[in-house]
């Protein structure tokens, strides 16, 4: 159920160019999660149409009601499909809905400790999901992908901030799933240069959306994020390292 607090939230204002981008469809995997909900809201406010696929393993549909509400008139451009990327039939179903311009891939299990005690769960979920997704994307000629990797691929860096050429040194199964996914993507791009792939290697984002304490809420939120820190996702201590291949011009590390 949506709380009273959230029903009182005023829709955000959108920018003037947003209408022009209507009909550009973005698929966001794991879009009901912490980073996903914030990203989806921003995409909607920029005028994109968004489909989310999420199995709600670590999230809840209620968060999407909040996103729709905050997006005001753009909320109707959001569709949600409850589905598991590890089931190829669920991925195929989503690609029958629209022709996507790009996919932002957030879906995955992310708890380092759990990945040590349940490695097969992590390898299975985080790798099969990506393979299914990229296979179906390729068959549908959608080759623009943003992947949510992690700064965990650097292990314990001796100094921060890391530059993207810092040696990769994963220390746990979660980190290895991120590095394997990156390797899969590098190989796919090597085999077919039409792919444009961005790997985002961020540290832990903290904080909440400016509209309220919790845009995304679910059982996992409190465990992995810092609620009530008074910082938003945009101005949080959020260091991002962004690797892109397919178009090397926009290399960026902050
Ligand atoms: N939060 C962080 O500190 C952080 C830092 C670096 C990288 N990342 C990565 O960013 C991504 C998003 O992180 P988050 O904090 O929003 O996590 P989150 O757990 O809040 O969101 C991930 C979403 O993916 C969904 N999901 C998992 N497996 C799925 C599957 N097989 N099919 C469909 N949906 C599935 C979950 O239900 C959840 O809603 C993850 O891949 C995570 O590894 C997170």
């Amino acid at each position: 159920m949506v709380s009273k607090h959230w029903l009182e939230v005023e829709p955000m204002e959108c920018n003037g160019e947003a209408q022009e981008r209507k009909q550009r469809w973005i698929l966001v995997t794991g879009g009901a999660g912490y980073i996903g909900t914030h990203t989806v809201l921003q995409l909607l406010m920029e005028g994109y149409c968004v489909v989310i696929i999420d199995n709600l393993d670590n999230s809840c549909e209620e968060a999407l009601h909040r996103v729709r509400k905050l997006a005001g008139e753009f909320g109707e451009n959001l569709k949600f499909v409850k589905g598991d990327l590890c089931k190829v039939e669920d991925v195929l179903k989503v690609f029958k809905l629209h022709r996507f311009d790009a996919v932002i891939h957030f879906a995955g299990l992310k708890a380092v400790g759990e990945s040590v005690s349940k490695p097969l769960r992590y390898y299975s979920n985080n790798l099969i999901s990506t393979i299914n997704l990229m296979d179906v994307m390729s068959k549908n000629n959608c080759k623009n992908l943003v992947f949510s990797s992690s700064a965990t691929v650097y292990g314990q860096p001796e100094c921060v901030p890391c530059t993207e050429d810092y040696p990769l040194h994963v220390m746990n199964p979660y980190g290895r799933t991120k590095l394997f996914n990156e390797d899969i993507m590098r190989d796919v791009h090597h085999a077919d240069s039409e792919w444009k792939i961005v790997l985002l290697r961020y540290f832990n984002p903290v904080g909440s959306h400016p509209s309220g304490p919790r845009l995304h809420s679910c059982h996992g939120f409190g465990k992995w994020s810092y609620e009530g820190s008074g910082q938003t996702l945009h101005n949080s201590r959020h260091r991002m390292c962004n690797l892109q291949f397919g178009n090397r011009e926009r290399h960026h590390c902050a």
Side-chain angles (χ1 to χ4, degrees):
M1 203 181 104
V2 179
S3 74
K4 190 167 176 288
H5 171 83
W6 283 98
L7 288 172
E8 285 166 358
V9 165
E10 288 297 317
M12 291 167 65
E13 285 186 22
C14 68
N15 74 41
E17 295 164 17
Q19 282 293 352
E20 291 170 23
R21 296 210 194 95
K22 228 171 172 182
Q23 303 314 324
R24 297 202 68 182
W25 284 91
I26 310 293
L27 175 64
V28 181
T29 77
Y34 174 44
I35 304 175
T37 44
H38 290 79
T39 305
V40 167
L41 177 58
Q42 197 59 39
L43 286 168
L44 292 170
M45 300 314 293
E46 296 286 333
Y48 292 96
C49 301
V50 177
V51 176
I52 290 174
I53 179 169
D54 198 305
N55 63 2
L56 303 182
D57 180 84
N58 194 36
S59 50
C60 56
E61 210 171 334
E62 185 187 321
L64 302 179
H65 297 310
R66 296 178 186 142
V67 170
R68 270 202 194 95
K69 170 92 180 156
L70 283 165
E73 62 179 300
F74 292 104
E76 66 188 33
N77 295 337
L78 174 62
K79 290 185 188 173
F80 170 61
V81 175
K82 184 170 182 221
D84 188 339
L85 293 173
C86 293
K87 295 180 183 157
V88 74
E89 61 274 20
D90 286 3
V91 188
L92 288 165
K93 189 169 75 180
V94 167
F95 274 80
K96 282 194 183 120
L97 287 177
H98 291 286
R99 198 207 147 273
F100 293 106
D101 293 284
V103 176
I104 306 179
H105 183 28
F106 289 118
L109 300 173
K110 63 168 182 177
V112 170
E114 189 188 41
S115 81
V116 174
S117 58
K118 298 176 184 167
L120 290 179
R121 174 166 147 79
Y122 273 68
Y123 287 123
S124 157
N125 188 76
N126 290 2
L127 297 179
I128 293 172
S129 55
T130 299
I131 292 167
N132 283 343
L133 177 68
M134 293 187 80
D135 189 37
V136 175
M137 284 178 70
S138 178
K139 286 178 177 142
N140 285 273
N141 206 27
C142 172
K143 297 182 180 177
N144 296 322
L145 176 64
V146 177
F147 173 58
S148 193
S149 185
S150 169
T152 196
V153 295
Y154 297 113
Q156 291 282 2
E158 279 168 19
C159 59
V160 286
C162 292
T163 55
E164 64 185 48
D165 52 0
Y166 197 88
L168 302 178
H169 178 63
V170 285
M171 301 173 75
N172 51 63
Y174 166 69
R176 265 183 282 282
T177 68
K178 289 299 182 192
L179 198 53
F180 288 162
N181 270 316
E182 289 195 8
D183 284 339
I184 290 169
M185 290 171 194
R186 275 185 277 271
D187 287 342
V188 168
H189 175 257
H190 182 73
D192 177 358
S193 60
E194 281 184 14
W195 279 87
K196 292 189 174 64
I197 303 175
V198 178
L199 309 176
L200 297 176
R201 292 173 177 165
Y202 26 76
F203 292 77
N204 290 61
V206 294
S208 55
H209 189 265
S211 62
R214 291 171 90 169
L215 178 56
H216 157 261
S217 71
C218 73
H219 32 283
F221 185 93
K223 271 194 279 183
W224 319 122
S225 307
Y226 302 97
E227 194 186 349
S229 64
Q231 293 178 305
T232 70
L233 195 66
H234 296 290
N235 67 12
S236 65
R237 288 159 290 178
H238 177 210
R239 296 207 185 100
M240 181 184 280
C241 193
N242 169 0
L243 280 182
Q244 177 164 337
F245 39 98
N247 170 6
R248 301 288 297 186
E249 290 160 26
R250 290 183 55 208
H251 247 212
H252 166 72
C253 191

